[in-house]
Amino acid sequence: MVSRQSLYILFSLTITWSPLALGQMDSLHLLTPIIVEEKALISPKNTSNPVYTLDQEQLERSNTTTLADAVKTLPGVYLKDFGGIGGLKTLSLRGLDAKYTRILIDGIPIIDAQMGQIDLSTYPVAQFSSMSLALLEPSGTLLPASAYNGVNFLSLQPSTSTPKNGLDLQFGVKMGSFGLFQPHLLIKNGWQHHQLGGFINYQSAHGVYPFTYQNGQLTSHDTRKNADQKALNALTNYQYKNNWLKSTWNLQLQSSNQGLPGAIILYQPNALGQRLYRQNWSIQTKNTAKLSPKWDAVIQYKWSENHLTYEDPTFLNEESMLRNTYQEQHHFTSLGLRYEPDTSFSVYFVGDLDYSQLITNVSQLETPRRYYWLQALRINWHNSRLHLQGGLLHHYLFDQNKSSAATRTQKWNANAGFNYQILKKQALFLKMMYKGLFRMPTFNELYYNLVENPNLKPEYSNQLDAGLFWEKRNWAGQEYVSVDAHVFYGQTRDKIITVPTQNLFIWSMQNIGTVENKGGQVAITSYFKMGKKAGFTTTTNYTFQRNIDRTDESKSTYGHQIPYTPQHLANLQVGYDRHKWSLTSNVLYNGARYRLPENSIGNYLPPWFTQDVIFLYKMWLNEIELRGRLALNNIWDHSYEVISYFPMPGFHGFLTLTIII
Amino acid sequence: MKKQLHWISLVLIILVGNCTTKNDPAPVKVQEGLWVLHEGTFNLNNAGLSAINLDSGKVVVDFFRRQNGRALGDVANDMKRYGGKVYIVVNNSSILEIVDVANGQSQATISMINDGFEPRQPRQVAFDDGKAYVCSYDGSIAVIDTTSLKIVTYLNSSGQNPDGIAVQNGNLYVSNSGGLNYPDYDNTVSVFDLNTNKEIKKITVGLNPGTLAADPHGDVYVLCRGDYDQVPSSIKIIDASSDEVKGSLLITGSSISLFGTTLYVSNYDFITRKSTIAVVDVLTEDVISHNLIDLSDVQTLYGLYVDENDGQIFVTDAKDFTSQGKVFEYNLEGELQRSFVVGVNPSKLLKITTTR
């Protein structure tokens, strides 16, 4: 007879990518079965693609300040990091740039029509209760069509929305290097059918750190300046739920004021006063209704407005100041209907209309507007051993700009995958998936610089993945082992590349690139129990990837690895847990890469690794839980660069104190 | 046991290493030859100087780094010789690097920074009577003593973003491009009296003036690049005796250079992807040829150097602006002699002979 608790443990063993949470069994009783139900959706056992999940416990215990720190340890991830607190951090997965990753908050995508990529460092990790990275299909149900419009998906669950009855209060402060002072407050209250949550995070830092760099035989010491940041993130969440209706409302604010440290320029004082001001507002709502036992309907809406100001007070024009302002607006509506005749089969149809516009004082950009109508059809079927997933996407776009004729684009693409349990009595699964995807050009790409190219076509990417997932429990003295191994192959055609058109001052975007990507990755997870109160966990992953320029055989760069795509990526995390404390060590390795398309010695960037150590201590005073967390990062004080001439910080550390009531 | 296991595991994952020892090659012995300045790409600090031995055909790529054990800097814009020294303007690093022609070793590195520690962004250099003049985008013209290798004073142009500089009849000519005020380009050339160091005149030329060339007959040629859209590029001729524009040549050019009594107008047409060199006789002020030599081997024409005495034409190829560039050598008949692989964006060339 299996007890209820061990059933739950089994469940969580199968659904988490990293077993660090497994040591957190003390807190298991806090969780309600609803979370199990939600998390089960993203189990690697029933998806046809690699899915890597970090839940709140793991996020809490890992070395994370922002989302950027959280994702960089996941398989296949190369975080393009310009360094420090305020440095831009975007995610590149399997060599595909950030524009290919859809980021969803509570199922609704964050859309940036101007740049097409999201700076992960602008989201504090405490704002989310879980995150998962997936390749075929984002986790969650009844999502908008645009949630499926990506090669990779990063799904985030706001920490305010965890359904729970009663009052929940959390207050934390993080302090340490770079003058970081970061308090946050989380309040949740649930009663009857209602649940209300609020989250606020303030972050202030001077961002200064010393670094060394090599200039030939000279070793230079300098400090990173103009890196200060003040940021506020706030979120409120309201949810109503009864037998047939669930309605969620979200209001979000992101506001920041930061210095923009530039690249190291040799022999120059590097004390430029460039600044970035950001203010983003959004309201989103998701309403799902069970119309009948077989039919579900969903209506979603999002409004967002993003203000961005860039200032350069050293710009040598007549005003001695460059000030560019950008204001991006979105209205997003989505309607969906799901038919589920029985638990093994479902068909879901959803259509979105997204309106975006950009108002800017940059003379060549004349208020571009985009109407994007996207429809998705999703089919899911499974029996006891086989899961099938598939879908179609239909894009219809209407791009408008004052100075040129409107353009229409219409595209179809498809994806499919399966997951098959090979042996009846072994948890061994074979997974395969195929995906074709169009990435529409961003406003920046369409109307960049002086010469716009409204005839720019979307980039087209084809991705194939095949893998095996195996897990075993209570075997040879170990508690748990899982292995997730994949090979992948893909191609990106009509890749958008900037080229000079009329002269060196006028560059424009052209669909000229072809890139082939291939490789393999393996993630191994294990958990050993040592006596009653201690545990030992390891998670390790390794990715080998080749991202090769296949554009033009006559060019010197044909067959070369494209810039900033390391061939080797690895991460090893080891954790030791006691009842009240845990110690975790994380080693992250990024292989060599090149900074320009030509793979020459002059463009070579050496590999690097960093090691972080995190100590977490918990104690209870009656019903109040106190947590202290000490994170020591880059403990060997390595000097390294992810992006050429943007130095990363050496040894640094943070102390976090949290009270949970 | 548990603790031991933990420590063992920690030790296991500490990869002992970090063995990135940098072995920079030793300085080389230099002979006479061709020096090639490569601009590099913005923010990558990969500007450099290569030296080609024209007898052996050997190329020392990144010759500056070999001789000095450090990099040249970020975005090199200009290179000219005065006496026994070569002056290299490094724009984004905001320095003037002065090297000895005999061995390529740095004699001085002059920082071009204003009182607010902001880079001035130097563009080009010209010489007169023991002084070097460097114009910068911030409007200043640094006056450098070529003996002490120190900045003596600064002149200030009343125009925007000086780009080109030349000396004619003891006066200094500086083109005000206004490049950073796009779309409101400047269209003037400022004239300074070098005896009083005062700006004495501002001549209206074409839109967005760049490189200047002073000919042996008392004229100054100005390349006006236009606005790259409605206003085409042209070449204006200033008569230095009256400081008036006396003529205009309607040739499209991306750069001009004067060798002997001939002005060469190099152009790469980004639409037709053709490279051409037009030739102007500065005595008659006539266009002699629109196509000096056949440049079908050159992907993207970027720099030019002509030595009529030795019968050599050197042309640089910037390729796609991020890959390693090339230098092609032609004879005066336009026959390709040989080519050399150099650094990224080779722009300026200088033939170094110890006899001159």
Side-chain angles (χ1 to χ4, degrees), chain A residues 420-484:
Chain A
Y420 179 66
Q421 188 174 2
I422 299 169
L423 300 166
K424 217 171 182 176
K425 290 190 174 172
Q426 282 275 345
L428 176 65
F429 303 88
L430 172 69
K431 304 167 172 197
M432 281 183 91
M433 61 144 251
Y434 160 80
K435 166 178 273 184
L437 193 99
F438 291 97
R439 182 182 76 73
M440 295 301 158
T442 63
F443 283 162
N444 269 7
E445 287 167 337
L446 279 170
Y447 311 114
Y448 180 82
N449 226 328
L450 307 175
V451 173
E452 58 195 61
N453 182 2
N455 300 319
L456 205 62
K457 292 178 288 182
E459 283 185 14
Y460 182 59
S461 188
N462 265 315
Q463 299 293 327
L464 272 169
D465 181 279
L468 285 171
F469 177 78
W470 172 80
E471 63 178 16
K472 181 104 183 167
R473 283 179 290 272
N474 299 322
W475 165 76
Q478 298 178 3
E479 296 290 324
Y480 178 78
V481 169
S482 81
V483 179
D484 195 12

Side-chain angles (χ1 to χ4, degrees), chain A residues 214-218 263-269 272 313-319 363-364 450 500-507 530-531 534 536 555-557 564 572 574 576 578 581 583 585 587 595-598 600 603 606 609 611 636 638 644-646, chain B residues 2-3 5-7 9-10 13-15 18 20 22 24-25 41 43-46 65 69-74 92-95 111 113 117-121 137-138 160-161 180-183 225 227-229 268 270-271 299 302 320-324 344:
Chain A
Q214 205 70 26
N215 171 15
Q217 291 159 4
L218 300 177
I264 300 171
I265 305 296
L266 297 179
Y267 317 119
Q268 211 210 60
L272 306 172
T314 63
F315 198 73
L316 296 173
N317 56 358
E318 215 166 340
E319 301 84 37
S363 54
Q364 63 263 33
L450 307 175
T501 42
Q502 287 176 23
N503 57 61
L504 264 184
F505 300 92
I506 302 182
W507 292 57
M530 299 156 128
F536 183 69
K555 292 268 168 69
S556 65
T557 54
Y564 294 116
L572 172 60
V574 179
Y576 176 73
R578 302 281 304 182
W581 59 270
L583 190 63
S585 159
V587 176
R595 57 187 192 175
L596 285 175
E598 200 167 56
S600 62
N603 292 331
F609 82 90
Q611 181 169 9
W636 306 110
H638 284 175
S644 189
Y645 289 108
F646 283 88
Chain B
K2 291 163 220 158
K3 274 219 165 97
L5 195 67
H6 175 75
W7 287 115
S9 63
L10 263 187
I13 51 183
I14 297 165
L15 311 170
N18 196 23
T20 49
K22 288 234 170 175
D24 261 46
T41 41
N43 275 5
L44 288 185
N45 296 303
N46 57 346
R65 192 186 172 124
R70 60 183 174 86
L72 183 59
D74 198 46
N92 205 29
S93 288
S94 240
I95 52 163
S111 184
I113 301 293
F117 291 98
E118 288 163 6
R120 292 184 183 271
Q121 295 199 34
Y137 254 171
D138 73 336
Q160 289 292 313
N161 306 132
L180 296 182
N181 287 290
Y182 160 84
R225 293 161 295 192
D227 65 354
Y228 311 112
D229 187 21
Y268 174 72
F270 282 86
I271 293 155
Q299 191 187 325
Y302 210 53
D320 57 3
F321 305 103
T322 57
S323 304
Q324 285 184 308
V344 178

Side-chain angles (χ1 to χ4, degrees), chain B residues 35-56:
Chain B
W35 285 16
V36 184
L37 183 70
H38 1 106
E39 255 178 43
T41 41
F42 186 68
N43 275 5
L44 288 185
N45 296 303
N46 57 346
L49 178 67
S50 294
I52 302 170
N53 183 326
L54 293 172
D55 297 328
S56 67

Side-chain angles (χ1 to χ4, degrees), chain A residues 244 289-297 338-340:
Chain A
W244 66 279
K290 193 132 202 84
L291 303 177
S292 78
K294 291 178 181 177
W295 289 90
D296 298 279
R338 183 173 65 178
Y339 175 60
E340 201 169 11

Side-chain angles (χ1 to χ4, degrees), chain A residues 385-403:
Chain A
R385 282 171 69 179
L386 182 67
H387 286 255
L388 293 174
Q389 293 170 305
L392 282 174
L393 272 179
H394 174 243
H395 313 248
Y396 184 80
L397 253 93
F398 186 75
D399 273 315
Q400 216 180 8
N401 169 316
K402 267 183 200 161
S403 59

Side-chain angles (χ1 to χ4, degrees), chain A residues 228-341:
Chain A
D228 62 293
Q229 192 192 38
K230 282 189 171 54
L232 183 77
N233 286 60
L235 170 71
T236 63
N237 181 277
Y238 168 75
Q239 189 179 300
Y240 174 83
K241 195 177 178 181
N242 66 19
N243 292 336
W244 66 279
L245 179 75
K246 185 178 169 187
S247 178
T248 313
W249 294 77
N250 248 316
L251 171 67
Q252 275 191 74
L253 163 71
Q254 273 191 308
S255 173
S256 66
N257 168 356
Q258 66 173 88
L260 271 186
I264 300 171
I265 305 296
L266 297 179
Y267 317 119
Q268 211 210 60
N270 293 315
L272 306 172
Q274 292 160 358
R275 295 201 75 78
L276 200 64
Y277 304 88
R278 227 189 305 242
Q279 197 167 61
N280 300 347
W281 285 93
S282 75
I283 296 175
Q284 67 184 52
T285 173
K286 177 174 184 168
N287 302 280
T288 53
K290 193 132 202 84
L291 303 177
S292 78
K294 291 178 181 177
W295 289 90
D296 298 279
V298 57
I299 176 163
Q300 305 180 64
Y301 174 78
K302 180 179 181 177
W303 166 84
S304 67
E305 190 164 303
N306 300 347
H307 294 257
L308 184 78
T309 303
Y310 167 78
E311 267 181 17
D312 183 353
T314 63
F315 198 73
L316 296 173
N317 56 358
E318 215 166 340
E319 301 84 37
S320 296
M321 164 72 96
L322 184 71
R323 192 165 187 275
N324 292 338
T325 59
Y326 304 89
Q327 181 192 333
E328 186 175 322
Q329 272 179 355
H330 285 277
H331 289 279
F332 173 86
T333 320
S334 171
L335 274 168
L337 202 57
R338 183 173 65 178
Y339 175 60
E340 201 169 11

Side-chain angles (χ1 to χ4, degrees), chain B residues 104-346:
Chain B
Q105 281 170 8
S106 174
Q107 302 301 299
T109 305
I110 299 176
S111 184
M112 303 269 185
I113 301 293
N114 72 11
D115 299 335
F117 291 98
E118 288 163 6
R120 292 184 183 271
Q121 295 199 34
R123 299 288 294 172
Q124 292 193 39
V125 60
F127 306 93
D128 183 61
D129 194 24
K131 299 268 186 344
Y133 297 89
V134 179
C135 66
S136 293
Y137 254 171
D138 73 336
S140 69
I141 297 117
V143 184
I144 295 139
D145 186 304
T146 55
T147 315
S148 68
L149 304 182
K150 292 211 157 48
I151 295 175
V152 183
T153 184
Y154 280 102
L155 315 180
N156 278 297
S157 168
S158 60
Q160 289 292 313
N161 306 132
D163 204 2
I165 191 162
V167 177
Q168 184 67 282
N169 295 346
N171 283 348
L172 185 73
Y173 292 77
V174 174
S175 63
N176 301 308
S177 71
L180 296 182
N181 287 290
Y182 160 84
D184 306 313
Y185 291 109
D186 203 332
N187 61 352
T188 57
V189 168
S190 293
V191 188
F192 293 82
D193 181 337
L194 290 182
N195 297 316
T196 60
N197 277 352
K198 289 263 167 7
E199 185 175 326
I200 50 170
K201 193 167 182 184
K202 211 162 152 185
I203 310 163
T204 301
V205 289
L207 203 61
N208 192 8
T211 306
L212 303 177
D215 79 357
H217 315 295
D219 292 341
V220 176
Y221 286 75
V222 189
L223 173 67
C224 302
R225 293 161 295 192
D227 65 354
Y228 311 112
D229 187 21
Q230 301 297 315
V231 183
S233 87
S234 64
I235 291 162
K236 304 284 181 211
I237 308 165
I238 298 172
D239 182 343
S241 56
S242 61
D243 285 338
E244 302 281 348
V245 175
K246 66 167 180 180
S248 179
L249 301 166
L250 281 173
I251 322 173
T252 308
S254 35
S255 73
I256 55 170
S257 38
L258 197 126
F259 299 100
T261 56
T262 313
L263 183 81
Y264 298 88
V265 184
S266 315
N267 189 49
Y268 174 72
D269 188 320
F270 282 86
I271 293 155
T272 62
R273 296 182 184 179
K274 284 232 162 66
S275 300
T276 49
I277 301 167
V279 185
V280 179
D281 182 329
V282 292
L283 185 62
T284 62
E285 288 154 21
D286 287 333
V287 180
I288 306 168
S289 163
H290 281 282
N291 223 338
L292 175 68
I293 51 171
D294 172 30
L295 292 173
S296 50
D297 297 306
V298 179
Q299 191 187 325
T300 314
L301 172 65
Y302 210 53
L304 175 72
Y305 190 89
V306 182
D307 186 334
E308 283 178 2
N309 297 331
D310 290 349
Q312 291 163 321
I313 300 171
F314 298 99
V315 163
T316 70
D317 185 349
K319 303 272 178 187
D320 57 3
F321 305 103
T322 57
S323 304
Q324 285 184 308
K326 261 186 158 181
V327 174
F328 291 90
E329 183 188 334
Y330 297 88
N331 61 18
L332 294 181
E333 284 70 50
E335 291 159 346
L336 179 65
Q337 304 299 302
R338 48 187 173 166
S339 68
F340 313 91
V341 176
V342 291
V344 178
N345 292 335

